[in-house]
Amino acid sequence: MAAACLEDPSLEKHFKGHRDAITSVDFSLNKKQLASGSMDSCLMIWSMRPQMRAYRFVGHKDAVMCVQFSPSGHLVASGSRDKTVRLWVPNVKGESTVFKAHTATVRSVQFSSDGQSLVTASDDKTVKVWTVHRQKFLFSLSQHINWVRCAKFSPDGRLIASASDDKTIKLWDKTSRECIHSFCEHGGFVNHVDFHPSGTCIAAAGTDNTVKVWDVRMNRLLQHYQVHSAVVNCLSFHPSGNYLITASNDSTLKILDLLEGRLLYTLHGHQGPATCVAFSRTGDFFASGGSDEQVMVWKTNVDAADYGDVLKTQKYATNVTGTLHNLQSEMDCGDPPKKNKTQESARNQHQQEEETSLADTLEHIVGQLDVLTQTVSILEQRLTLTEDKLKECLENQQKLMHSKGN
């Protein structure tokens, strides 16, 4: 089975609307929308369809440091320098619920893969976990001794990785809430961390201009890239797990081939530092943001047939790769005999149609639940506000009656 091959990535769209540096970008599940956060305190939702208007969401009192769509795409979470997290419904109304998450800037916010939990990271040196419904605080992780720049759930939700200005990446067990390992090999602050789609590895970007990949089961360094000439701000794994894209203060984006362990492409687009980058959920697009206030959308140009093979290999492999080099041998297994290809293709197509139909139905149900949850939260906030006003009116009335009695 052939590994996916990349053609030259191409710039597809160019979004302008923010009034300060872009801090974060993320695609919705269906790729119809792209969210961006900025130092201008606004969150913007861009439509990927032509001639569709963008939404500007105003609510945060200071810079928006991070944005992420929920797995269903029906909510967007944002974290801010105003110490709060907001959950938005990404439509024309742009309603949101807000909660004070930390005692300092919120640098990172991420949904768990089931959409039920949120993990946040802050300059108050803590990582916190919350329920999405009612935004209930669950627990705090507090062994870092400097700002925490980023925190991510593993794909299975059992681990949390956090990156800090204390030059460490910590790996936490979500159930026991204990730090199970600290990676200390970075020579500078660690700006960003993310899990490989298999959950067996993490990659981190640092102010020492490097990108490093670790195996989280053996706790050992797998790969070390020195391809940028300045601070690396952000990175994102391709869903196939074969590629990693990075954004740097040297104004470039770089695509790394993890199977070969080499630099594949260097992309120039931003004038000044490239601050953030993210692949779409299917990997056929990626978005980047920069201090030039621009959001760019690029076509990845992964061959569709080969990419289908990659997904199939990942989905049905019983032993997920031990190291990224083992992944190569799994993907080089022989093709099935030619005489069975037509029958297999028909069977696969029928199975894929059934799976797609079921997935669409489930996505719709989850989406409706997300919206209902958010609506309930908004109504609860309004009810609390009304109760407060009513209490205030009654108190004023009592004071008036008391003064008249005197």
Side-chain angles (χ1 to χ4, degrees):
M1 201 176 284
C5 57
L6 278 167
E7 297 171 16
D8 288 357
S10 55
L11 185 60
E12 289 283 301
K13 291 179 184 292
H14 209 185
F15 294 125
K16 293 181 181 179
H18 281 294
R19 301 183 183 106
D20 207 335
I22 313 300
T23 55
S24 181
V25 288
D26 192 42
F27 284 94
S28 64
L29 176 70
N30 56 17
K31 291 177 306 202
K32 288 179 183 173
Q33 292 180 313
L34 174 71
S36 60
S38 168
M39 298 298 286
D40 66 6
S41 307
C42 292
L43 169 81
M44 290 198 75
I45 305 291
W46 311 91
S47 175
M48 295 293 287
R49 290 174 289 188
Q51 280 83 50
M52 291 292 287
R53 58 175 291 186
Y55 303 134
R56 182 192 301 275
F57 293 163
V58 179
H60 283 295
K61 305 285 193 296
D62 208 333
V64 177
M65 307 305 294
C66 48
V67 295
Q68 203 207 20
F69 274 98
S70 63
S72 68
H74 292 271
L75 293 175
V76 179
S78 60
S80 169
R81 208 153 59 183
D82 67 10
K83 308 170 189 175
T84 70
V85 168
R86 282 181 180 264
L87 291 177
W88 310 81
V89 179
N91 58 22
V92 68
K93 289 182 183 176
E95 291 185 308
S96 69
T97 53
V98 60
F99 62 100
K100 188 179 177 187
H102 289 272
T103 57
T105 297
V106 182
R107 295 270 172 191
S108 167
V109 62
Q110 192 216 12
F111 287 93
S112 56
S113 55
D114 63 6
Q116 299 301 304
S117 305
L118 278 172
V119 62
T120 57
S122 169
D123 287 2
D124 66 10
K125 306 175 190 174
T126 68
V127 173
K128 291 183 179 181
V129 178
W130 315 78
T131 64
V132 173
H133 179 56
R134 294 175 188 252
Q135 298 87 57
K136 180 186 165 191
F137 171 71
L138 293 178
F139 59 88
S140 182
L141 306 170
S142 51
Q143 286 186 29
H144 282 293
I145 56 172
N146 207 334
W147 294 357
V148 188
R149 296 271 177 179
C150 185
K152 295 286 178 77
F153 285 113
S154 60
D156 63 10
R158 291 189 296 182
L159 300 174
I160 294 169
S162 57
S164 169
D165 280 8
D166 63 13
K167 302 183 182 180
T168 72
I169 297 148
K170 291 190 184 294
L171 205 60
W172 310 82
D173 183 296
K174 183 171 175 281
T175 307
S176 68
R177 305 174 189 180
E178 290 179 358
C179 177
I180 54 178
H181 192 74
S182 289
F183 299 96
C184 308
E185 289 93 338
H186 267 283
F189 300 157
V190 191
N191 285 330
H192 196 90
V193 66
D194 203 3
F195 277 91
H196 186 273
S198 68
T200 60
C201 312
I202 57 169
T207 59
D208 58 0
N209 309 353
T210 67
V211 173
K212 293 180 179 179
V213 182
W214 285 275
D215 184 314
V216 297
R217 297 165 306 174
M218 308 297 290
N219 297 329
R220 66 188 182 94
L221 185 66
L222 292 177
Q223 293 180 339
H224 179 188
Y225 296 93
Q226 291 180 293
V227 292
H228 286 287
S229 60
V231 170
V232 187
N233 295 309
C234 188
L235 50 76
S236 176
F237 279 102
H238 189 273
S240 68
N242 297 347
Y243 307 104
L244 184 70
I245 191 164
T246 59
S248 167
N249 276 3
D250 64 14
S251 82
T252 68
L253 308 173
K254 290 183 187 280
I255 297 178
L256 305 171
D257 183 331
L258 298 175
L259 298 181
E260 298 289 333
R262 66 186 178 92
L263 173 64
L264 207 57
Y265 291 109
T266 298
L267 303 172
H268 299 269
H270 291 284
Q271 304 297 311
T275 50
C276 51
V277 68
F279 275 112
S280 64
R281 309 291 165 108
T282 49
D284 45 352
F285 289 95
F286 59 91
S288 62
S291 61
D292 56 4
E293 305 173 11
Q294 297 183 67
V295 175
M296 296 180 182
V297 177
W298 310 72
K299 195 168 176 19
T300 312
N301 290 327
V302 171
D303 182 78
D306 284 349
Y307 183 47
D309 286 346
V310 172
L311 287 180
K312 219 180 293 177
T313 303
Q314 280 209 322
K315 188 171 180 181
Y316 297 114
T318 50
N319 295 318
V320 183
T321 70
T323 69
L324 291 168
H325 293 293
N326 287 347
L327 190 60
Q328 178 72 64
S329 60
E330 276 193 48
M331 304 192 67
D332 285 340
C333 55
D335 288 331
K338 287 187 180 178
K339 62 181 180 181
N340 293 332
K341 272 194 173 177
T342 310
Q343 292 174 335
E344 191 178 318
S345 176
R347 273 202 309 273
N348 285 346
Q349 189 176 350
H350 181 64
Q351 188 181 347
Q352 282 172 1
E353 284 171 1
E354 285 183 346
E355 285 177 359
T356 304
S357 174
L358 182 61
D360 288 346
T361 306
L362 286 170
E363 185 199 333
H364 178 73
I365 292 166
V366 170
Q368 293 303 309
L369 284 170
D370 273 352
V371 173
L372 281 170
T373 300
Q374 187 69 354
T375 306
V376 168
S377 293
I378 290 165
L379 288 171
E380 282 175 345
Q381 282 195 351
R382 287 178 181 171
L383 187 61
T384 305
L385 207 62
T386 307
E387 285 172 348
D388 289 346
K389 284 181 180 175
L390 185 62
K391 190 179 174 184
E392 194 180 328
C393 287
L394 287 168
E395 284 173 355
N396 288 337
Q397 196 175 2
Q398 282 175 347
K399 282 176 186 174
L400 279 169
M401 288 172 70
H402 185 69
S403 60
K404 280 180 183 177
N406 292 336

